[in-house]
């Protein structure tokens, strides 16, 4: 039977978690923050957010305000913080925007204006980590591929 030839190549361990290739300093800090939270808390929320933050930009699908409202269709759901690892975009077809607390990587200018005008909040992920480090009272969303 063959063994591992340690002298020639050493032991090669497989890595399941890819290192980020972004040059964005803010993204690197977020990945560092959420890797700490994923390791130190028993919350599955932080592990999922870390996985999505560390993914490619192609996998961070945008979501419109109207889609956020379709998903958060009751007052109980609107009371939670809607978390989206991606962009929140405006939808001109939507006439009224209710009060929402949304956490996302990016907001379009008009989407941010409309959410703030309705009395809502636009949060970043570092603000979310201060408010809810384990992801309590949050609702993790993901935009559709199409």
């Amino acid at each position: 039977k063959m063994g591992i030839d340690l002298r020639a190549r050493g032991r090669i361990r497989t890595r399941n978690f890819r290192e980020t290739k972004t040059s964005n300093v803010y993204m690197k800090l977020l990945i560092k923050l959420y890797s700490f939270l994923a390791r130190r808390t028993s919350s599955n929320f932080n592990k999922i957010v870390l996985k999505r933050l560390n993914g490619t930009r192609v996998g961070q699908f945008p979501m419109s305000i109207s889609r956020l409202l379709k998903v958060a269709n009751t007052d109980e759901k609107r009371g939670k913080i809607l978390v989206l690892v991606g962009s929140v975009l405006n939808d001109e077809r939507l006439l009224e925007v209710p009060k929402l607390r949304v956490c996302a990587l990016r907001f379009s200018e008009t989407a941010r204006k409309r959410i703030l005008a309705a009395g809502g909040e636009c949060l970043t992920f570092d603000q979310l980590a201060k408010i809810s480090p384990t992801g309590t009272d949050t609702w993790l969303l993901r935009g559709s591929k199409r």
Side-chain angles (χ1 to χ4, degrees), residues 47-77:
K47 290 176 186 160
I48 295 169
V49 169
L50 173 65
K51 185 179 169 189
R52 291 185 191 175
L53 280 172
N54 206 24
T56 60
R57 274 285 293 272
V58 177
Q60 295 171 356
F61 307 112
M63 196 179 246
S64 66
I65 296 179
S66 60
R67 176 62 62 183
L68 286 175
L69 286 180
K70 249 183 207 178
V71 172
N73 50 10
T74 62
D75 290 331
E76 183 186 333
K77 290 177 183 175

Side-chain angles (χ1 to χ4, degrees), residues 28-135:
K28 284 183 178 179
L29 285 172
L30 280 183
I31 289 168
K32 198 178 274 190
L33 171 67
Y34 275 91
S35 63
F36 173 79
L37 288 173
R39 192 176 69 246
R40 294 295 295 266
T41 61
S42 59
S43 171
N44 205 26
F45 171 83
N46 291 322
K47 290 176 186 160
I48 295 169
V49 169
L50 173 65
K51 185 179 169 189
R52 291 185 191 175
L53 280 172
N54 206 24
T56 60
R57 274 285 293 272
V58 177
Q60 295 171 356
F61 307 112
M63 196 179 246
S64 66
I65 296 179
S66 60
R67 176 62 62 183
L68 286 175
L69 286 180
K70 249 183 207 178
V71 172
N73 50 10
T74 62
D75 290 331
E76 183 186 333
K77 290 177 183 175
R78 287 187 194 135
K80 294 185 176 189
I81 301 171
L82 305 175
V83 181
L84 172 71
V85 182
S87 305
V88 173
L89 305 173
N90 186 32
D91 193 351
E92 295 173 355
R93 299 169 294 181
L94 190 67
L95 299 175
E96 290 180 22
V97 178
K99 184 179 175 182
L100 292 172
R101 291 179 82 188
V102 185
C103 173
L105 282 176
R106 289 163 222 98
F107 293 89
S108 68
E109 284 183 47
T110 47
R112 187 184 295 274
K113 281 181 188 173
R114 290 185 76 181
I115 291 170
L116 293 175
E121 270 185 289
C122 296
L123 301 169
T124 57
F125 276 93
D126 48 324
Q127 291 172 328
L128 179 70
K130 283 183 178 178
I131 296 168
S132 177
T134 56

Side-chain angles (χ1 to χ4, degrees), residues 18-24 27-28 31 53-56:
R18 82 173 190 64
E19 201 171 324
T20 185
K21 292 175 183 155
T22 184
S23 59
N24 187 345
M27 280 297 286
K28 284 183 178 179
I31 289 168
L53 280 172
N54 206 24
T56 60

